[in-house]
Amino acid sequence: MTTKRRPHILVTGAAGALAQRVISRLRETCDLVAVDFREQVYLGDDIPSYCIDFNKRVFEDLFRRYQFDGVIHLGRILSSQLTRMRRYNANVLGTQKLLDLSQKYGIRRVIVLSTYHVYGAVAYNPALIDESAPLKSAGLSADLVDSVELENLANIYLWRYPELNITILRPCNIVGPGVRNSMSSLLGSSRAPVLAGFSPMMQFIHIDDMADAIVLAWNKPVKGVFNVAPQDWVAYQQALKLCGCQRIPLPSIPPVVPKAISRILNLRSFPTYLMAFFKYPVVIDGRAFAREFGFTPKRQLTDIFRYYRDNKRPV
């Protein structure tokens, strides 16, 4: 009697809270290897963990050693992290190396985590943005160029190598326990800046729901690009109010003023490259993913905001 071989999966971005939740959901049915170029993390004796730069030759050794069946690429570096050049090297050149190795070693399933930021925030965005909308961010902010190029790169491989079965996920704001992005920092602070006269509609997805979405995508190898978002949204200033944040209005015009204030006050949770997202709504349509993968978020906005209201950090 032969034992069926469990899928071998490489998970990148292992130091992040989202990757660790995905790993916890898959560890019972899959053999996992965790990688992060920032730091090495301990995830248990059953999961090898490495701190490796994707562009180094030793990274290819992992593909030879573990004979992966799939890759879940969650290692995108946020635009608030590192310098612009280091982000580009990690997000674009590192992803290209990862996809090249996936094609070379016969990987049959690849999931790439992107972001809704690639759509860009402009006054004339449609009310509900679907996956066919153009990616405008590259022309609006140099700090988001690497995010758009990562997506474009993944799309090229999606069509050039259909055997990789690439799925690209564009989630809305991922928030919840352990999340360290800009939006989570704002919701968790006692006082948060807002642009006077603006309160755009926003979407939020709990980190546990996002982890569930990634697992659903892994289990059903449908290639393509999908938004991931609940079908509800709330105004930014209302979200802050529900999270118990004191709102600090900043003058919104001329545009250079709020950017200068943000730099002077070193408001890392209110970065200048995302300023337009606090002026104009970017509401994405997640129905295609919900239909294709049977996804329904379990955590409501009230649950998300209650967590931040009950876990305030000092200013």
Side-chain angles (χ1 to χ4, degrees):
M1 179 178 174
T2 59
T3 303
K4 185 178 179 181
R5 180 180 182 273
R6 302 199 329 166
H8 292 197
I9 307 175
L10 173 67
V11 181
T12 70
L18 178 60
Q20 293 179 20
R21 279 167 166 78
V22 171
I23 287 170
S24 70
R25 286 159 170 74
L26 292 174
R27 69 192 310 160
E28 295 299 322
T29 57
C30 304
D31 290 331
L32 305 172
V33 174
V35 171
D36 198 298
F37 89 93
R38 295 163 294 187
E39 60 181 293
Q40 184 173 358
V41 293
Y42 178 73
L43 300 167
D45 295 336
D46 58 325
I47 299 179
S49 177
Y50 298 89
C51 179
I52 296 178
D53 188 329
F54 298 169
N55 293 305
K56 300 298 183 182
R57 186 176 300 177
V58 69
F59 184 52
E60 186 171 354
D61 294 339
L62 298 183
F63 284 78
R64 296 194 191 97
R65 178 177 179 181
Y66 293 104
Q67 300 178 354
F68 298 120
D69 301 295
V71 171
I72 300 178
H73 183 32
L74 309 179
R76 185 180 66 85
I77 304 303
L78 303 179
S79 297
S80 58
Q81 299 173 317
L82 305 182
T83 63
R84 191 177 297 168
M85 182 56 68
R86 290 191 66 192
R87 285 199 311 272
Y88 184 89
N89 289 339
N91 288 341
V92 181
L93 301 183
T95 297
Q96 183 174 14
K97 181 68 173 180
L98 178 67
L99 294 175
D100 282 340
L101 291 174
S102 296
Q103 193 276 328
K104 179 179 179 179
Y105 288 92
I107 303 299
R108 289 292 175 263
R109 185 73 177 115
V110 178
I111 296 173
V112 177
L113 182 68
S114 182
T115 171
Y116 83 106
H117 287 151
V118 294
Y119 290 117
V122 293
Y124 45 86
N125 270 342
L128 203 57
I129 302 174
D130 65 20
E131 291 83 354
S132 65
L135 309 185
K136 303 171 186 172
S137 274
L140 300 173
S141 171
D143 287 287
L144 289 170
V145 167
D146 58 284
S147 295
V148 175
E149 287 204 26
L150 184 156
E151 261 237 21
N152 290 335
L153 187 67
N155 263 297
I156 290 171
Y157 280 76
L158 189 159
W159 297 110
R160 181 178 293 173
Y161 304 109
E163 68 275 10
L164 289 175
N165 284 300
I166 296 177
T167 300
I168 302 169
L169 303 180
R170 295 174 184 160
C172 62
N173 292 299
I174 302 174
V175 292
V179 179
R180 294 178 289 181
N181 58 25
S182 297
M183 184 55 66
S184 186
S185 296
L186 287 169
L187 298 181
S189 61
S190 300
R191 294 187 291 176
V194 301
L195 293 179
F198 292 94
S199 184
M201 290 294 174
M202 292 187 175
Q203 294 161 293
F204 303 92
I205 187 168
H206 194 280
I207 185 174
D208 287 326
D209 284 327
M210 191 63 215
D212 291 341
I214 292 169
V215 172
L216 285 172
W218 162 256
N219 289 326
K220 187 177 181 181
V222 177
K223 57 179 176 285
V225 182
F226 296 93
N227 294 332
V228 184
Q231 292 304 303
D232 57 359
W233 37 83
V234 63
Y236 170 58
Q237 293 203 34
Q238 178 67 10
L240 293 179
K241 180 180 179 181
L242 294 172
C243 289
C245 301
Q246 179 185 355
R247 290 160 287 174
I248 308 300
L250 303 180
S252 57
I253 53 175
V256 69
V257 172
K259 292 182 179 180
I261 294 174
S262 180
R263 290 193 187 97
I264 292 170
L265 299 181
N266 196 25
L267 299 176
R268 295 184 179 180
S269 60
F270 203 65
T272 56
Y273 69 90
L274 288 182
M275 204 67 71
F277 288 87
F278 297 98
K279 293 179 68 175
Y280 308 118
V282 184
V283 178
I284 59 176
D285 187 352
R287 290 177 294 182
F289 182 83
R291 285 193 304 267
E292 186 64 56
F293 296 94
F295 173 67
T296 303
K298 299 182 179 69
R299 290 83 182 172
Q300 303 299 316
L301 285 175
T302 51
D303 301 323
I304 293 173
F305 297 150
R306 185 184 304 114
Y307 164 77
Y308 286 105
R309 190 171 61 246
D310 296 341
N311 294 275
K312 279 290 162 225
R313 295 189 303 273
V315 178

